[in-house]
């Protein structure tokens, strides 16, 4: 699939899921207030089913959401070690004094690269529920080889920017308009994470 086709598919799936069932949408809005449950639902979307996944209960959704945090933490270990070894303690302690020196820039670049490697790991875990599959980063290198380095990184960077945009916009709205912003946050977070979940699956399954 071309990149434009991947995004079109993700938009169609998200619109169908978002506007298809108002009762489910209300549950997703509630989940979005606490982030972890909606992340768990996003993980289930990464399985790649054509229809929206069923709700397994709040505790199960929270469990799935915690898996995303744990897998993300596992992929963050190497960047964190590099930060501890290269960035001076005073820069790690007082964020306002960071001057974007070479160690800081190196840490940011490596963190982004590991973030790009983590996304297919989430998809593999969503399908198999096995931690080992999530951490087999060499499978991601094989995916990159099959679909092409430029296509992979363009797709994944776009995905991360979309996620940052939705989450950042939600935070800004809450700070500016506490009550109305909270409602808009529910809408943007829910739509954004549904879209990102589908997009992550479509990119990770690509073979040509």
């Amino acid at each position: 699939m071309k990149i434009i086709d991947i995004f079109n598919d993700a938009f169609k799936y998200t619109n169908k899921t978002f506007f298809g069932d108002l009762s489910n949408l209300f549950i997703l809005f509630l989940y979005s207030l606490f982030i972890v449950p909606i992340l768990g639902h996003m993980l289930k979307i990464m399985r790649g089913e054509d229809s929206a996944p069923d709700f397994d209960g709040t505790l199960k959704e929270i469990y799935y959401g915690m898996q995303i945090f744990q897998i993300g933490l596992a992929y963050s270990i190497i960047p964190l070690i590099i930060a501890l070894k290269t960035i001076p303690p005073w820069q790690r302690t007082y964020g306002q004094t960071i001057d974007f020196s070479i160690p800081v820039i190196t840490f940011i670049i490596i963190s982004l690269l590991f973030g790009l490697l983590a996304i297919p790991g989430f998809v593999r875990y969503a399908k198999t529920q096995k931690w080992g599959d999530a951490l087999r980063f060499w499978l991601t290198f094989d995916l990159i080889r099959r679909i092409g380095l430029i296509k992979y990184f363009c797709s994944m960077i776009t995905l991360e920017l979309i996620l940052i945009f939705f989450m950042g916009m939600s935070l800004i709205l809450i700070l500016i308009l506490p009550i109305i912003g909270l409602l808009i946050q529910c809408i943007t977070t829910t739509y954004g994470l549904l879209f990102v979940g589908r997009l992550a699956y479509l990119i990770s399954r690509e073979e040509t």
Side-chain angles (χ1 to χ4, degrees), residues 13 38-49 51 53-57 60-61 64 68 126 129:
Y13 175 90
I38 192 70
L39 286 176
H41 200 72
M42 180 186 72
L43 185 69
K44 294 195 298 182
I45 289 174
M46 290 181 181
R47 295 173 184 169
E49 300 170 357
S51 58
D54 296 327
F55 292 100
D56 295 332
K60 197 71 172 180
E61 304 286 348
Y64 290 138
I68 283 189
Q129 300 292 295

Side-chain angles (χ1 to χ4, degrees), residues 14-103:
T14 304
N15 289 334
K16 181 176 68 175
T17 304
F18 192 82
F19 299 107
D21 191 324
L22 293 180
S23 60
N24 286 347
L25 185 60
F26 178 73
I27 296 174
L28 289 174
F29 281 173
L30 292 178
Y31 282 174
S32 68
L33 293 173
F34 304 98
I35 299 299
V36 175
I38 192 70
L39 286 176
H41 200 72
M42 180 186 72
L43 185 69
K44 294 195 298 182
I45 289 174
M46 290 181 181
R47 295 173 184 169
E49 300 170 357
D50 291 332
S51 58
D54 296 327
F55 292 100
D56 295 332
T58 302
L59 291 178
K60 197 71 172 180
E61 304 286 348
I62 291 175
Y63 170 78
Y64 290 138
M66 291 304 299
Q67 299 311 301
I68 283 189
F69 279 113
Q70 293 175 24
I71 294 170
L73 180 61
Y75 274 90
S76 300
I77 290 176
I78 292 179
L80 288 174
I81 291 175
I82 292 174
L84 291 173
K85 294 292 186 180
T86 60
I87 300 178
W90 62 271
Q91 285 193 340
R92 300 198 303 263
T93 305
Y94 306 103
Q96 69 273 18
T97 61
I98 292 180
D99 59 359
F100 290 99
S101 58
I102 292 178

Side-chain angles (χ1 to χ4, degrees), residues 96-112:
Q96 69 273 18
T97 61
I98 292 180
D99 59 359
F100 290 99
S101 58
I102 292 178
V104 173
I105 295 174
T106 302
F107 166 69
I108 293 174
I109 293 174
I110 292 175
S111 297
L112 289 174

